[in-house]
Amino acid sequence: MSEEIAPFQISIPQDHLDDLRQRLAHTRWPGEVPGASWTAGVPLDYLKDLADYWQTKYDWRAHEARLNEFPQFTTVIDEQTVHFLHVRSPEPDALPLILTHGWPGSVVEFMQIIGPLTDPARHGGDPADAFHVVAPSLPGFGFSSPLAAPGWNTNRVARAWAELMNRLGYHRYGAQGGDTGAIVSPELGRVDPAHVLGVHVNNLGTFPSGDPAELVGITEADQARLALMTTWGRDMSGYAIVQSTRPQTISYALTDSPVGQLAWIVEKFKEWTDPAAALPEDAVDRDLILTDVSVYWLTGTAGSAARLYYEDARTWGQAQPRSSVPTGVAVFPNDITIRPLAERDHNLVHWTEFSRGGHFAAMEAPDLLVGDVREFFRKVR
């Protein structure tokens, strides 16, 4: 198998952008129940306004150029093309750090944190906190597509990441991630403990085993997160049920309709971001949201990205071996991370709770996330 690492740049053909605008201009809009607001899904007036902005004002080329400022590469691991950003620090003793995004995220999530992580001195920080950053696109997501085969669950992704870091010559490194990245990063510690010196996560999912004893005496904050977990399962999990059972069926709608893809993703930016934000763009810059959505649309990866849910669903709820790797957890508003359960599953050495930010921490509160990553890795470097 070739271990070649090839330079890569994003270059979307102009006819793809023209097609996007034409489809947006000819959207067939549904009706809606008056007064439903966000409780039934994305409101019609809101989505019409956002789609119009995407069609007439959003400039993909400007954001494509921003992404291309980061050195990018592809390599083939386990017969799968893997796209990744690889930004080396100017500090020679920087610690290698692999960042893993989730769904509906992409490497776009990391655009605001790569600079402070790789070059802290330039961003008012201590050069001793520097990292060499590796940020792959998950298999089947964005430019790590198309999927070469079935079976790409989070364990297989973690094993691919271990090979990627080995291929890059990094034999002592850290891992960080949120959402799916908060599953992959600890799993990377389990499959490559000899080389992973620490794992930092945000939006870590923690789930009760059914033993009442493990929840006795939990804090008021953890009780609120447990209640949110119940609400999520009852009212907010429709996307996960669809993607984990019928990813192929939903892919037809999301791959054919940009407004459908937009609604599918922007709903999550409303439900998962800082609860103090009235609208998604109050939490995350509108152009940044649309750049993330555009990556899914322009690469046609709605269905292949959804397959990660399908592949992992068969192991949902199963206990994982407790990780021995030192682990740091950052908890943001709307996270459902319960400390005793995190301690049950991980070698927890660092815990921080924030009152600002949300699920998309790297985009919502990059300063807080970067600060916490630096603080954790000072303990394990």
Side-chain angles (χ1 to χ4, degrees), residues 119-135:
D119 195 357
R122 189 176 179 184
H123 294 82
D126 184 343
D129 289 326
F131 299 92
H132 299 306
V133 168
V134 179

Side-chain angles (χ1 to χ4, degrees), residues 13-262:
Q14 185 59 42
D15 62 336
H16 288 29
L17 301 178
D18 296 340
D19 175 71
L20 168 60
R21 293 192 177 94
Q22 290 169 10
R23 287 172 183 263
L24 289 167
H26 294 94
T27 300
R28 185 183 179 201
W29 294 100
E32 68 174 348
V33 176
S37 186
W38 287 86
T39 59
V42 185
L44 180 60
D45 286 347
Y46 175 82
L47 198 64
K48 280 186 172 182
D49 179 70
L50 187 58
D52 178 72
Y53 181 88
W54 196 13
Q55 178 198 345
T56 63
K57 297 182 177 65
Y58 172 77
D59 183 358
W60 164 260
R61 291 298 185 206
H63 298 283
E64 180 183 73
R66 275 196 66 202
L67 282 166
N68 281 332
E69 291 174 3
F70 301 112
Q72 297 172 66
F73 305 87
T74 60
T75 192
V76 177
I77 301 174
D78 193 8
E79 301 183 352
Q80 171 66 42
T81 296
V82 173
H83 161 263
F84 61 99
L85 313 184
H86 184 197
V87 186
R88 289 187 58 84
S89 172
E91 303 297 333
D93 296 327
L95 175 69
L97 179 68
I98 184 164
L99 304 177
T100 306
H101 66 83
W103 182 93
S106 64
V107 293
V108 171
E109 289 187 50
F110 304 130
M111 293 171 70
Q112 297 178 86
I113 67 172
I114 289 175
L117 288 174
T118 57
D119 195 357
R122 189 176 179 184
H123 294 82
D126 184 343
D129 289 326
F131 299 92
H132 299 306
V133 168
V134 179
S137 297
L138 286 164
F141 286 66
F143 304 100
S144 287
S145 63
L147 276 177
W152 277 97
N153 59 16
T154 46
N155 173 268
R156 190 170 177 182
V157 173
R159 287 185 278 116
W161 279 193
E163 170 57 26
L164 175 61
M165 296 303 274
N166 177 65
R167 198 170 290 185
L168 292 172
Y170 293 142
H171 305 303
R172 180 178 177 273
Y173 61 93
Q176 199 287 327
D179 189 84
T180 303
I183 302 172
V184 171
S185 299
E187 187 67 9
L188 180 54
R190 293 186 188 98
V191 302
D192 196 21
H195 301 112
V196 178
L197 57 84
V199 171
H200 181 279
V201 291
N202 58 285
N203 190 241
L204 176 68
T206 53
F207 302 97
S209 67
D211 179 3
E214 65 190 9
L215 296 174
V216 170
I218 64 172
T219 65
E220 187 175 325
D222 278 341
Q223 290 175 22
R225 294 181 192 115
L226 191 62
L228 179 59
M229 189 185 304
T230 301
T231 300
W232 185 93
R234 183 183 65 242
D235 295 333
M236 302 164 66
S237 59
Y239 78 98
I241 295 170
V242 172
Q243 294 194 156
S244 64
T245 58
R246 297 295 184 271
Q248 186 63 34
T249 301
I250 192 63
S251 73
Y252 297 114
L254 302 184
T255 305
D256 189 59
S257 169
V259 164
Q261 177 69 96
L262 178 62

